[in-house]
Amino acid sequence: MSAPSTGAGPDVVPPDLHEHDAPAPIAETPGSEALVAAGDLLRALAAPVRIAIVLQLRSSPRCVHELVDALAVTQPLISQHLRVLKAAGVVRGDRRGREVVYRLVDDHLAHIVVDAVTHVEEDP
């Protein structure tokens, strides 16, 4: 059972809340540069085709033609979205002969995308 609130500090849980319902301590707000960069990153992810590309690349690196086939989107559109994702640091391309194989820079962004998709698919 929770202890009554005494105003003694941020770790005190009000009596009408259980400890697991208590709000998380407020984290220090990042600097404006970090917030702008995070906003830019989220904007780069804010298109359905780019979300689908990230989900495809989550399972394995892919060339443009594989993404075209998997997503049923034209090659110029896939290339345009890959340029946006590359500029945002989400993907990188490695040349292999005549093809460029795209991969996620790291898994953090895939988790963000997966969590967002899972969230909207949950029952309200």
Side-chain angles (χ1 to χ4, degrees):
M1 190 97 215
S2 302
S5 178
T6 62
D11 295 332
V12 176
V13 178
D16 57 332
L17 292 178
H18 298 287
E19 288 187 27
H20 66 275
D21 293 330
I26 297 174
E28 188 175 318
T29 303
S32 63
E33 253 183 61
L35 295 175
V36 168
D40 291 344
L41 178 60
L42 291 173
R43 271 188 294 285
L45 293 171
V49 173
R50 292 195 287 270
I51 290 169
I53 289 170
V54 169
L55 292 173
Q56 286 292 312
L57 296 179
R58 182 174 167 251
S59 60
S60 67
R62 309 275 170 105
C63 336
V64 171
H65 73 86
E66 292 172 313
L67 293 169
V68 167
D69 293 344
L71 302 177
V73 178
T74 65
Q75 182 273 323
L77 189 57
I78 291 289
S79 294
Q80 176 185 356
H81 285 295
L82 284 168
R83 275 193 297 278
V84 172
L85 292 171
K86 191 173 178 182
V90 176
V91 301
R92 74 168 198 254
D94 300 315
R95 184 160 292 282
R96 294 212 180 123
R98 297 179 65 184
E99 294 184 322
V100 177
V101 177
Y102 290 90
R103 68 182 69 249
L104 295 175
V105 169
D106 63 44
D107 288 335
H108 293 113
L109 300 168
H111 292 296
I112 292 169
V113 170
V114 169
D115 287 348
V117 171
T118 301
H119 175 75
V120 299
E121 288 181 332
E122 290 177 344
D123 290 332

